[in-house]
Amino acid sequence: MNLRELQYLVALADHRNFRRAAEACSVAQPTLSTQIRKLEEELGVALFERDRRRVMMTPAGGDAVARARRILAEMEGMKEAARRLSRPEEGVARLGVFPTIGPYLLPEVMPKVRARFPRLQLLLTEEKSDGLIARLREGRLDAAILALPVHEAGLHGEELFEEPFLLAVPSSHPLAARESLRVEELSRQTLMLLEDGHCLRDQALEVCHLAGAAEGSEFRATSLETLRQMVLAGLGVTLMPALAVKGMAAHSDRLHLLRFENGRPSRRIGLFWRKTSALGPLLEELADVLRDLSPALLDPRNELAPAT
């Protein structure tokens, strides 16, 4: 028994016709017929019922075809794994990203990623940080963009950049007349935050704790975009990561952004993958591309500057 015979077996099961199966395998029909008969003799059972008009699988044939499909799939998987390890930039990489950065970072970096790795198929998954770490641990992701720190012994991380926070307030708010504030001034504010499970919530709570600020108890948002809309509606204030600020100048009549004069509240972003991953060299290069952000994207002064 060899892999070629298994390929003939599956082709005949798919086409239920010796001529069409032979054409699909690019062999002569007598060759395919002979190999199928040799396989039946080796197994000691009939795999197909034949007459002049049709070919039907026997119960033994159905079982053999199912096993053959699994064997051939494993063979293709072995070839793909070997090819992927020898030329990883031409394979598939599964990248995870958490929701409060994905919509703002990916549009900026994906053109550069595609230019650097034109044959790499990057499959993206958006999920909260705990879910991404679990997927990495289980091998369902190759890498993930996460906020530091990440306490997971089996992962290697490369820091990409530090993203400042700004305070977003409605244009009717007393702070809207100012361009900046000190961190300790947050102690007089009640902030709207994300619901549990978002790493941005933990980062914002840390800033609130350091500044002595309080969280509004009546509302927790499910997304950063919801927080933005709540501020636009004049319903409260929140901390906004710098990347999410891009494009908000269009709402300057309803929303005002303040940078911090001291303390530089921020979050650090990194790319993480398993220490044992064979894609390590590729992911190192990917980290370099993701790290190459325009400084303007992380400098809130550009978005806060009045239009000319």
Side-chain angles (χ1 to χ4, degrees), residues 5 46 71 83 100-101 106 128 141 178 191 244 255 294:
E5 290 173 352
I71 293 170
R83 187 195 62 76
T100 60
I101 199 170
L106 293 179
K128 293 178 182 178
L141 284 177
R178 298 170 53 179
L191 276 69
L255 179 146
S294 167

Side-chain angles (χ1 to χ4, degrees), residues 5-155:
E5 290 173 352
L6 298 184
Q7 291 170 338
Y8 294 161
L9 173 65
V10 170
L12 186 55
D14 289 341
H15 294 280
R16 304 298 175 95
N17 179 278
F18 278 90
R19 178 181 58 79
R20 291 196 296 270
E23 291 174 352
C25 294
S26 301
V27 297
Q29 180 177 331
T31 299
L32 185 136
S33 299
T34 299
Q35 295 300 317
I36 292 294
R37 194 171 301 280
K38 283 179 59 179
L39 186 58
E40 289 178 318
E41 291 173 356
E42 182 174 350
L43 294 175
V45 292
L47 302 176
F48 296 94
E49 293 182 20
R50 307 160 173 84
D51 62 29
R52 292 183 178 180
R53 291 181 296 179
R54 60 181 179 175
V55 175
M56 294 189 302
M57 279 191 296
T58 64
D63 179 75
V65 168
R67 294 175 185 274
R69 290 189 194 278
R70 291 196 294 270
I71 293 170
L72 293 173
E74 285 293 326
M75 179 189 70
E76 289 303 316
M78 186 183 298
K79 290 180 179 178
E80 170 62 21
R83 187 195 62 76
R84 187 180 184 189
L85 292 175
S86 63
R87 296 190 300 276
E89 71 279 1
E90 298 181 12
V92 176
R94 300 160 297 173
L95 176 67
V97 61
F98 59 95
T100 60
I101 199 170
Y104 315 105
L105 175 65
L106 293 179
E108 301 295 334
V109 299
M110 286 307 295
K112 294 181 180 180
V113 172
R114 287 175 177 164
R116 173 62 185 83
F117 306 105
R119 297 188 180 182
L120 177 67
Q121 184 181 2
L122 201 59
L123 303 181
L124 301 172
T125 296
E126 187 177 79
E127 192 172 337
K128 293 178 182 178
S129 297
D130 286 347
L132 294 178
I133 292 172
R135 286 173 176 262
L136 272 177
R137 190 188 307 122
E138 296 162 4
R140 292 186 288 156
L141 284 177
D142 295 308
I145 296 172
L146 298 165
L148 282 74
V150 173
H151 302 294
E152 188 74 21
L155 297 183

Side-chain angles (χ1 to χ4, degrees), residues 98 129-130 133 144-153 155-159 161-162 165 198-200 202-204 206 266-272:
F98 59 95
S129 297
D130 286 347
I133 292 172
I145 296 172
L146 298 165
L148 282 74
V150 173
H151 302 294
E152 188 74 21
L155 297 183
H156 171 78
E158 289 287 330
E159 185 167 347
F161 52 83
E162 185 176 1
F165 285 121
H198 288 276
C199 61
L200 181 57
D202 298 332
Q203 296 150 3
E206 183 178 353
S266 63
R267 63 180 180 179
R268 293 181 298 139
I269 306 300
L271 182 68
F272 290 81

